Amino acid sequence: MSKIYYKSAEEVELIRESSMLVSKTLAEVAKVIGPGITTMSLNKLAETFIKDQGAVPAFLNYNGFPYALCISPNEQVVHGFPSDYVIQEGDLISVDCGVIKNNYFGDSAYTFSIGEIDAERQKLVDVTKACLVAGIEKAVSGSRIGDVGYAIQKIAEDNGFGVVRELVGHGVGVKLHEKPEVPNYGQRGRGIKLEEGMVLAIEPMINAGTAGVKFWSDGWTVTSKDNKPSAHFEHTIAVKKGKADVLSTFSLIEEVLEKKHK
Ligand code: MG
Ligand code: MG
């Protein structure tokens, strides 16, 4: 798919259904994530949950990726393999999930804070979330792709953090990765114009240190070059006039986390 594929209102509703299933899956992960749990156990839970809902884990076998979830602890930026790594108090665990339901894709990611995290990590999580909100605010018809990237980059860099350049957001819906690319950096007023019918995965990947990343020889895992922590939040959204329609949600995850912490 070399051109931008514009979705009908009916297709947006199908992508919403897939995106909400991603959010529900991440809420299932939220129920059990914590110290002493392996990242592989989260992957198994998610794979089973998605299949039980009559859907397909979109990442499993995507270009050979072997798991349903990407799970990226601490200095891992994205595309980490679930493993026998035992989650510890103070970790940041980024969990990225995609599903295919009724042939449509949804894609969303959340960085979980495990117990008490240090001040730098807390700020990183808060700023990365704020970057996502700011990017979505600009994802309205008439804006340009560069407006979205600029908004994200400004917040991250004003807070002294690094914006990953090598990996970007993307169109989504009929395939996992469609045109256009949605960089987390850019110049205002530059790039293609956003229009209704575009569905985008906006996904700031923000490093506590410098922007540079390393690619592991496993062909997937990406870590920060300086091994400082990294955070990643992602929503699937539909471009609309005035205000984007956010098709995934964090509220299911955060309801679970609030209950756990009471
Ligand atoms: Mg994703
Ligand atoms: Mg994505």
Side-chain angles (χ1 to χ4, degrees):
M1 207 178 292
S2 56
K3 278 190 188 164
I4 295 170
Y5 180 82
Y6 294 85
K7 282 84 178 174
S8 68
E10 291 75 19
E11 288 180 302
V12 169
E13 290 315 308
L14 288 162
I15 299 167
R16 189 193 310 280
E17 199 180 320
S18 301
S19 301
M20 285 304 292
L21 178 53
V22 172
S23 301
K24 286 175 194 162
T25 306
L26 291 172
E28 291 299 307
V29 167
K31 286 179 188 171
V32 300
I33 196 169
I37 295 286
T38 66
T39 57
M40 187 62 84
S41 70
L42 300 175
N43 178 72
K44 286 193 183 124
L45 170 158
E47 182 173 348
T48 303
F49 182 78
I50 292 165
K51 289 177 175 170
D52 285 350
Q53 311 299 311
V56 175
F59 298 170
L60 185 60
N61 302 320
Y62 178 81
N63 290 339
F65 189 82
Y67 302 104
L69 298 178
C70 299
I71 306 183
S72 309
N74 301 319
E75 77 283 359
Q76 293 186 18
V77 177
V78 286
H79 303 166
F81 284 0
S83 72
D84 57 5
Y85 176 74
V86 178
I87 295 171
Q88 297 173 32
E89 176 92 13
D91 278 349
L92 289 185
I93 307 290
S94 297
V95 182
D96 195 348
C97 181
V99 309
I100 315 166
K101 193 172 184 191
N102 305 313
N103 295 317
Y104 287 87
F105 288 75
D107 188 8
S108 181
Y110 194 87
T111 295
F112 292 89
S113 304
I114 308 303
E116 290 289 312
I117 55 170
D118 67 31
E120 182 189 54
R121 286 167 185 236
Q122 187 62 56
K123 183 180 166 193
L124 178 66
V125 165
D126 293 344
V127 166
T128 307
K129 256 191 191 177
C131 287
L132 176 59
V133 169
I136 291 172
E137 231 162 65
K138 295 292 177 190
V140 294
S141 50
S143 274
R144 304 238 169 215
I145 280 286
D147 296 321
V148 174
Y150 176 85
I152 293 169
Q153 181 181 8
K154 173 119 179 65
I155 292 180
E157 292 182 352
D158 282 355
N159 281 281
F161 294 144
V163 176
V164 174
R165 300 295 198 278
E166 290 86 346
L167 300 137
V168 295
H170 49 93
V172 63
V174 175
K175 295 205 306 177
L176 181 57
H177 293 117
E178 300 177 12
K179 295 250 170 167
E181 290 195 341
V182 186
N184 297 305
Y185 55 90
Q187 289 177 282
R188 282 180 286 189
R190 297 287 183 87
I192 60 148
K193 193 178 269 185
L194 302 185
E195 293 173 63
E196 280 200 49
M198 291 172 74
V199 176
L200 307 174
I202 300 182
E203 49 177 319
M205 290 156 256
I206 307 298
N207 292 347
T210 52
V213 296
K214 293 179 283 199
F215 292 86
W216 284 13
S217 59
D218 65 13
W220 287 101
T221 311
V222 182
T223 61
S224 63
K225 205 169 237 172
D226 57 13
N227 290 320
K228 286 200 167 193
S230 187
H232 179 214
F233 288 92
E234 175 180 30
H235 273 316
T236 293
I237 68 103
V239 174
K240 298 277 174 195
K241 280 197 194 85
K243 195 171 191 290
D245 186 359
V246 183
L247 306 179
S248 47
T249 180
F250 294 151
S251 62
L252 301 174
I253 301 167
E254 288 171 353
E255 277 166 26
V256 168
L257 295 177
E258 272 166 37
K259 258 188 217 157
K260 270 171 83 175
H261 293 144
K262 260 183 196 161

